[in-house]
Amino acid sequence: MSVNESAENYLETILILSRQLPVVRSVDIANELGFKKSSVSVAMKNLREKAHISVDHSGFITLTPSGREIAEMIYERHQLLSGWLARLGVPADIAAEDACKMEHVISKESFEAIKRHVAAD
């Protein structure tokens, strides 16, 4: 179930928007990420072909079980890493930016070790 960083970001964004909006559309994703709608459309096509999202006849986007699993994993990593960095004294905006980079490259083992460490604090 490996996907590239860009796909992970799109899936995470869909998850976040689905918690804020009644429905998620490509235009919502484009607005959230500051991308052109045409770029988002290409990405949605790729995610649909990999069965990570479904798009209904009205253009409403939903995560499939595999897409939700990836999105929730990335979102959990982002939340934990950004919070941890902020508690270490990193300014919140930098912590969020760094967490966004780290969440895609950290191994499952390293993330789980950090998670255990943070929970023990």
Side-chain angles (χ1 to χ4, degrees):
M1 179 178 37
S2 76
V3 294
N4 64 33
E5 181 177 332
S6 175
E8 289 175 347
N9 280 333
Y10 278 111
L11 293 169
E12 181 185 24
T13 299
I14 294 166
L15 176 70
I16 292 166
L17 289 173
S18 71
R19 293 176 176 177
Q20 299 169 354
L21 303 171
V23 295
V24 178
R25 302 164 299 150
S26 288
V27 67
D28 301 318
I29 298 165
N31 290 338
E32 181 70 18
L33 296 174
F35 295 164
K36 292 180 182 176
K37 191 171 180 309
S38 59
S39 298
V40 173
S41 293
V42 170
M44 294 305 102
K45 178 180 181 281
N46 291 335
L47 290 173
R48 195 172 55 248
E49 287 174 353
K50 292 179 179 165
H52 294 312
I53 64 166
S54 61
V55 182
D56 72 10
H57 65 281
S58 298
F60 300 155
I61 300 166
T62 55
L63 296 168
T64 63
S66 68
R68 179 167 295 283
E69 183 178 345
I70 295 165
E72 287 177 351
M73 175 195 69
I74 295 299
Y75 185 71
E76 176 190 25
R77 288 178 175 199
H78 183 87
Q79 294 297 105
L80 186 129
L81 292 169
S82 62
W84 181 52
L85 291 169
R87 285 191 299 282
L88 291 174
V90 177
D93 59 331
I94 295 172
E97 186 178 317
D98 287 347
C100 194
K101 295 171 189 167
M102 294 166 62
E103 68 196 27
H104 302 287
V105 296
I106 192 169
S107 70
K108 181 178 180 179
E109 295 80 7
S110 293
F111 178 73
E112 290 300 322
I114 292 169
K115 191 172 165 180
R116 284 191 303 274
H117 177 74
V118 169
D121 284 349

